[in-house]
Amino acid sequence: MQPVSSIAGPIFWYEDIGLVFAALTSSSLPTPTPSSSLLLLSAKFSSLRFEELVDPAMVFIRSVSLLSKLCSRRVQLSSLYGSVRWLQIQSGSELDLHSQLKDLIPEQQERLKKLKAEHGKVQLGNITADMVIGGMRGMIGLLWETSLLDPDEGIRFRGLSIPECQKVLPTAIPGGEPLPEGLLWLLLTGKVPNKEQVHALSKELQSRATVPDHVYKAIDSLPETAHPMTQFATGVMALQVQSEFQKAYDKGIPKSKFWEPTYEDSLNLIAQVPIVACYVYRRIYKDGDIIPADGSLDYGANFSHMLGFDSSKMQELMRLYVTIHSDHEGGNVSAHTAHLVASALSDPYLSFAAALNGLAGPLHGLANQEVLLWIKSVVEECGENITTEQLKDYVWKTLNSGKVVPGFGHGVLRKTDPRYMCQREFALKHLPDDPLFQLVSKLYEVVPPILTQLGKVKNPWPNVDAHSGVLLNHFGLTEARYFTVLFGVSRSIGICSQLIWDRALGLPLERPKSVTMEWLENYCKKAT
Ligand SMILES: CC(C)(COP(=O)(O)OP(=O)(O)OC[C@H]1O[C@@H](n2cnc3c(N)ncnc32)[C@H](O)[C@@H]1OP(=O)(O)O)[C@@H](O)C(=O)NCCC(=O)NCCS
């Protein structure tokens, strides 16, 4: 048998193992070609007892366990494209997320130390004056472990695309949408959890989901007319008084242990934000008739329940919604804000509240509100049976009035956002005849050629926000002003996962250099 370290093409060998697992659990996956991994596997099977070999269940269990162990040894291999494939299906005995992280953190600390020592001086690109003036587009400047955004392929969570996540993450119903708790596990550990692990994490989050009274009072002190994001961010700020990180820091906790109270704060925050968010919703739109949590439900379904929607399709939508909005690498406004604020050792509540204030901007998270309002204004003016020509005229009217077409374009993406595509697939499956969905589909045809015609838009294709509103609207969540709060709840999962790693890896205070126009003018004159 070849020793593991000498197998040629170890990356593909490793990924094949992931596919073997997925193939064992999902018939819809492509057939793997696990050449050397199967070789190794068959050699290992020769050590099984005869009665184990003839019992298919035993063979399956032993193969899962064996592959899991093999994968464990391969968790940090880089692919040819520089991304890391950590795909691993785990055995049911490893239910404690905290102790898994405790095992992983020293490996990753060593990895970063080695990277810095061996390659710290390698150049990653040139900085141009355009980049400094243009919002740092394309400038690599952040370490963000939980996800990576490819301009053409879209987001990958720990190396997994959205369709891959939909295939391998545990679901509440067969063939259903991924459970957000599973994604949280994946983002934190880089490993695909099994059902038991996701269930255990679900229960753990429930056990942390108690919101102190003063939080409600803080929200109540605002007028009901305050924007839902203002009320939500106020609630998150009020949660901060319970920060474990702040208490531990005040007591002089050593730097090597920073991640532990950050973990506590992060899980508490992720568990509690749906309650705060639902309080805001019910306060503004349902006369303050609050619905308590249902301990029998998973994170997404319970969120839907506390908002007041108990249909199984809406529960599925919330699972999908929370999963796909959770993380979009580190440079977007909300993620970057949290990372920056946390680099000052502000705790996760302070950092996440800051992120929410960025998310509330119309060029970022508020776009989902803007899209539904804009679509409804189209219908109001032109009716539901709008022709393509009328729609084109409306798009031009919006542009000529100096506004952007909400839901289209992106700072990094250069193709249709896969988060848009999976919502489209959800709509095709569950609400194909919804008139607003049909309008969204028509916009997909009409808007990109017009934006291209403008000549300056780098990405004319729809983004995540172009679709979410009509899905929520279909199931009765019609209050567009509230939509960004849903986005915020979801973002807690990605942002907090990375904040734990920020502290575990000992990332320093963020402090980029700024310059004045005069400095730029003088520097550029000398350089040319
Ligand atoms: C997302 C967004 C802010 C990205 O901005 P960006 O990185 O500066 O995008 P670009 O480099 O393509 O912008 C170049 C120009 O095209 C314009 N543009 C980009 N998207 C546009 C849109 N959807 N409608 C009209 N104009 C648009 C920009 O406003 C900019 O114009 P300017 O030079 O006159 O200021 C931008 O596409 C946008 O405003 N989209 C609509 C809002 C939205 O959907 N936001 C959610 C993002 S997930």
Side-chain angles (χ1 to χ4, degrees):
M1 189 184 84
Q2 256 180 313
V4 169
S5 57
S6 71
I7 289 173
I11 306 314
F12 301 110
W13 169 81
Y14 171 67
E15 288 176 357
D16 282 342
I17 287 182
L19 285 174
V20 172
F21 276 128
L24 284 168
T25 53
S26 165
S27 55
S28 56
L29 276 178
T31 312
T33 51
S35 47
S36 49
S37 56
L38 277 189
L39 203 82
L40 187 63
L41 193 61
S42 56
K44 284 275 177 181
F45 274 144
S46 60
S47 68
L48 292 181
R49 290 196 307 275
F50 175 75
E51 60 275 25
E52 286 175 335
L53 270 173
V54 292
D55 177 353
M58 184 56 74
V59 170
F60 178 79
I61 289 164
R62 290 292 297 264
S63 67
V64 167
S65 155
L66 172 60
L67 284 170
S68 180
K69 281 179 198 153
L70 292 174
C71 287
S72 285
R73 284 184 240 149
R74 285 285 160 192
V75 289
Q76 293 172 35
L77 287 173
S78 305
S79 79
L80 288 178
Y81 307 102
S83 67
V84 174
R85 300 288 286 178
W86 277 18
L87 184 59
Q88 181 178 11
I89 305 284
Q90 302 193 310
S91 74
S93 59
E94 300 154 320
L95 293 181
D96 182 24
L97 181 58
H98 183 271
S99 53
Q100 289 229 353
L101 269 176
K102 211 169 180 168
D103 287 347
L104 279 171
I105 285 170
E107 291 170 11
Q108 297 302 311
Q109 287 170 333
E110 268 314 298
R111 183 176 166 210
L112 188 63
K113 220 165 112 188
K114 191 163 171 263
L115 180 65
K116 198 167 177 315
E118 289 178 5
H119 306 298
K121 301 288 178 280
V122 172
Q123 291 209 348
L124 298 177
N126 291 322
I127 297 173
T128 63
D130 260 351
M131 287 168 161
V132 175
I133 298 164
M136 299 190 279
R137 295 288 189 290
M139 199 190 279
I140 297 173
L142 294 169
L143 196 60
W144 190 268
E145 286 296 281
T146 49
S147 63
L148 188 67
L149 182 58
D150 180 275
D152 294 326
E153 284 186 359
I155 194 66
R156 281 185 180 272
F157 302 119
R158 291 287 189 179
L160 297 182
S161 67
I162 287 177
E164 283 169 343
C165 283
Q166 285 176 307
K167 281 187 175 135
V168 299
L169 288 179
T171 58
I173 53 174
E177 301 300 340
L179 289 159
E181 298 91 320
L183 185 83
L184 171 59
W185 189 291
L186 173 70
L187 293 181
L188 271 172
T189 66
K191 299 171 186 175
V192 175
N194 61 31
K195 270 204 159 186
E196 291 72 35
Q197 287 164 327
V198 169
H199 184 68
L201 182 53
S202 217
K203 289 284 158 217
E204 174 165 2
L205 290 174
Q206 276 167 15
S207 73
R208 293 171 179 264
T210 307
V211 171
D213 262 356
H214 74 264
V215 173
Y216 303 123
K217 286 186 189 138
I219 296 170
D220 287 344
S221 70
L222 294 168
E224 269 177 37
T225 50
H227 193 278
M229 279 301 277
T230 306
Q231 301 195 36
F232 183 44
T234 301
V236 171
M237 277 304 293
L239 283 174
Q240 190 274 340
V241 297
Q242 62 188 2
S243 170
E244 294 295 328
F245 181 84
Q246 197 186 47
K247 280 182 224 154
Y249 190 79
D250 288 348
K251 282 186 195 150
I253 186 175
K255 193 176 175 190
S256 60
K257 291 197 180 304
F258 279 176
W259 77 269
E260 302 225 25
T262 303
Y263 174 90
E264 291 305 316
D265 280 355
S266 293
L267 261 71
N268 288 339
L269 192 150
I270 292 167
Q272 291 167 15
V273 284
I275 299 176
V276 177
C278 292
Y279 185 81
V280 170
Y281 180 73
R282 305 288 303 179
R283 173 177 190 247
I284 303 177
Y285 304 110
K286 305 290 169 188
D287 297 326
D289 179 13
I290 306 304
I291 302 174
D294 179 341
S296 69
L297 296 173
D298 58 83
Y299 191 85
N302 190 38
F303 186 21
S304 177
H305 166 72
M306 290 188 294
L307 286 166
F309 304 94
D310 283 317
S311 79
S312 58
K313 284 186 183 176
M314 180 64 168
Q315 290 179 349
E316 277 288 271
L317 175 60
M318 288 315 291
R319 292 177 188 120
L320 177 68
Y321 186 102
V322 173
T323 299
I324 64 174
H325 285 80
S326 61
D327 205 28
H328 217 227
E329 74 170 31
N332 65 78
V333 171
S334 54
H336 184 191
T337 304
H339 184 74
L340 166 67
V341 173
S343 81
L345 297 185
S346 303
D347 61 59
Y349 298 96
L350 295 172
S351 311
F352 180 65
L356 287 178
N357 293 325
L359 195 69
L363 296 188
H364 189 21
L366 204 77
N368 59 6
Q369 153 184 327
E370 302 292 290
V371 168
L372 190 68
L373 294 176
W374 186 78
I375 286 176
K376 285 191 170 171
S377 74
V378 174
V379 175
E380 212 164 275
E381 192 165 312
C382 311
E384 271 180 3
N385 298 320
I386 185 169
T387 64
T388 303
E389 284 313 307
Q390 280 175 308
L391 198 51
K392 281 182 186 167
D393 289 346
Y394 199 91
V395 172
W396 277 115
K397 193 172 127 188
T398 300
L399 291 170
N400 291 336
S401 71
K403 292 182 183 154
V404 295
V405 181
F408 286 78
H410 198 270
V412 177
L413 280 168
R414 294 296 174 257
K415 293 267 166 67
T416 299
D417 191 337
R419 299 172 299 173
Y420 174 93
M421 288 312 290
C422 71
Q423 293 183 88
R424 180 170 165 76
E425 276 156 28
F426 187 94
L428 286 168
K429 185 169 165 192
H430 297 292
L431 44 127
D433 301 325
D434 181 286
L436 292 191
F437 166 57
Q438 286 173 357
L439 184 50
V440 164
S441 297
K442 217 173 224 175
L443 284 167
Y444 193 12
E445 289 166 25
V446 165
V447 175
I450 294 178
L451 291 183
T452 305
Q453 215 177 314
L454 283 183
K456 61 177 181 177
V457 181
K458 295 194 189 67
N459 173 32
W461 302 105
N463 59 55
V464 65
D465 297 319
H467 217 306
S468 53
V470 295
L471 301 181
L472 297 162
N473 186 72
H474 179 86
F475 293 111
L477 213 170
T478 55
E479 297 86 356
R481 270 180 102 231
Y482 182 76
F483 289 171
T484 312
V485 176
L486 303 175
F487 197 159
V489 168
S490 169
R491 268 291 142 101
S492 70
I493 291 180
I495 284 175
C496 288
S497 298
Q498 179 58 38
L499 292 187
I500 295 168
W501 278 103
D502 284 357
R503 298 291 73 81
L505 295 172
L507 298 187
L509 180 76
E510 205 175 281
R511 185 36 174 111
K513 176 84 185 91
S514 69
V515 292
T516 61
M517 270 206 274
E518 189 188 4
W519 186 98
L520 262 187
E521 283 160 354
N522 291 337
Y523 188 94
C524 294
K525 268 184 213 149
K526 273 187 219 153
T528 47

